[in-house]
Amino acid sequence: KAGVTQTPRYLIKTRGQQVTLSCSPISGHRSVSWYQQTPGQGLQFLFEYFSETQRNKGNFPGRFSGRQFSNSRSEMNVSTLELGDSALYLCASSLGGRGPLFSYNEQFFGPGTRLTVL
Amino acid sequence: KNEVEQSPQNLTAQEGEFITINCSYSVGISALHWLQQHPGGGIVSLFMLSSGKKKHGRLIATINIQEKHSSLHITASHPRDSAVYICAVNSGGSNYKLTFGKGTLLTVNP
C-alpha cells in the first residue's frame, strides 16, 4: 500500500505571497491532519479534516486554511506569507472513524513540504 | 509550562547501551504516541498506547496513566537508532489533535 505523499517537497516563496500544499493520504484513510514544525516551536497541530469537514483546529491565524476533497486528498493554503511561516509542513492520515477501535487513531506521516519564505 | 514535557533533551550513548527517554504530560489523554524523526524530516510512528506496555523488537514503551508518565526504552542501542524521538498525546476530547513534546535528540556512537 502506498504511503502518504506530499507535494511539493520544497518550496521557496516571498513575503506576501500565498502557497498551497497538497497531501494524498493512504488509500482508505479518511482523516488528514496538518502540522507545522519549526526549530523554535517544534511540532504544532494546524487542523484535521474528515469526510471533507474540518473536525479539529489548532491555534493558528486565519491565514492558514485547508480543505479536503471527496477522495480524501487534502490541501492547505497559507495566504500573505510571513517570514515566520518558514517551516516543515507535515500531513498525516488515519482511518479516522469514531468507532471503538483504537487503531483509528494511528497516524501515518508524509515526508513533509519544506517551505522557505524570503 | 508545556502540556507535554520530555527528558532528556539530548542523549548520547555508546552502541549497545540501554536507553530511556521520559515523557510527562499534564492533561487527560486518550492516547500517547512515540514518534521517531530522522534527519531530513520524515516521521515514523513507533507506538500508540493508552495503558500498560508495548514492545516492537528492541523498543519498549510503557505508560502509567495515574502518574501521567510514559517511557521509551531502547535495548542494545545501535547507531541507526540515532534520531529525534518525540512524545505526543491526544487530548482535549479529540482523538485527532496531537500535542507534542519538544523531542529528544539521541546520538548513538559506534
Side-chain angles (χ1 to χ4, degrees):
Chain A
K1 198 183 260 192
V4 179
T5 58
Q6 290 188 246
T7 57
R9 294 292 311 278
Y10 301 91
L11 206 47
I12 299 175
K13 292 286 188 179
T14 56
R15 277 182 300 176
Q17 287 187 308
Q18 77 165 20
V19 67
T20 299
L21 312 181
S22 180
C23 173
S24 292
I26 290 171
S27 178
H29 285 192
R30 295 166 65 192
S31 169
V32 173
S33 299
W34 287 91
Y35 302 93
Q36 181 197 64
Q37 186 177 35
T38 60
Q41 298 297 319
L43 275 159
Q44 294 181 280
F45 172 79
L46 280 157
F47 29 66
E48 183 247 349
Y49 285 87
F50 176 79
S51 291
E52 302 178 64
T53 300
Q54 188 181 86
R55 194 163 59 172
N56 294 283
K57 189 177 188 305
N59 191 26
F60 277 80
R63 300 185 298 108
F64 292 81
S65 62
R67 59 177 175 168
Q68 187 180 34
F69 302 95
S70 59
N71 62 358
S72 294
R73 189 177 71 84
S74 177
E75 289 181 346
M76 68 162 281
N77 183 276
V78 188
S79 62
T80 319
L81 284 165
E82 301 176 359
L83 294 178
D85 297 332
S86 294
L88 180 67
Y89 290 89
L90 293 150
C91 79
S93 75
S94 64
L95 287 169
R98 290 195 182 278
L101 291 181
F102 192 60
S103 61
Y104 284 144
N105 290 1
E106 186 173 11
Q107 299 203 5
F108 296 82
F109 286 81
T113 294
R114 188 164 296 280
L115 171 65
T116 302
V117 182
L118 302 176
Chain B
K1 189 180 188 298
N2 292 331
E3 290 183 349
V4 182
E5 297 277 356
Q6 280 186 243
S7 64
Q9 279 188 295
N10 294 281
L11 183 56
T12 301
Q14 289 300 121
E15 184 173 355
E17 285 185 358
F18 180 86
I19 287 161
T20 296
I21 300 171
N22 296 299
C23 175
S24 296
Y25 53 93
S26 57
V27 295
I29 67 168
S30 55
L32 183 143
H33 304 249
W34 282 102
L35 311 170
Q36 180 192 57
Q37 186 173 33
H38 281 283
I43 290 179
V44 174
S45 176
L46 298 173
F47 294 102
M48 180 178 63
L49 62 166
S50 62
S51 64
K53 177 179 173 179
K54 286 191 175 182
K55 183 176 188 290
H56 290 159
R58 296 179 295 106
L59 302 178
I60 303 166
T62 63
I63 187 168
N64 185 316
I65 297 293
Q66 287 73 31
E67 295 185 4
K68 292 188 166 62
H69 181 269
S70 175
S71 293
L72 176 68
H73 305 286
I74 304 175
T75 62
S77 60
H78 190 275
R80 65 174 174 266
D81 296 327
S82 298
V84 175
Y85 292 84
I86 302 168
C87 172
V89 300
N90 293 108
S91 64
S94 164
N95 286 337
Y96 303 102
K97 175 180 176 179
L98 289 179
T99 302
F100 300 86
K102 296 292 187 188
T104 295
L105 174 60
L106 171 65
T107 303
V108 181
N109 294 317

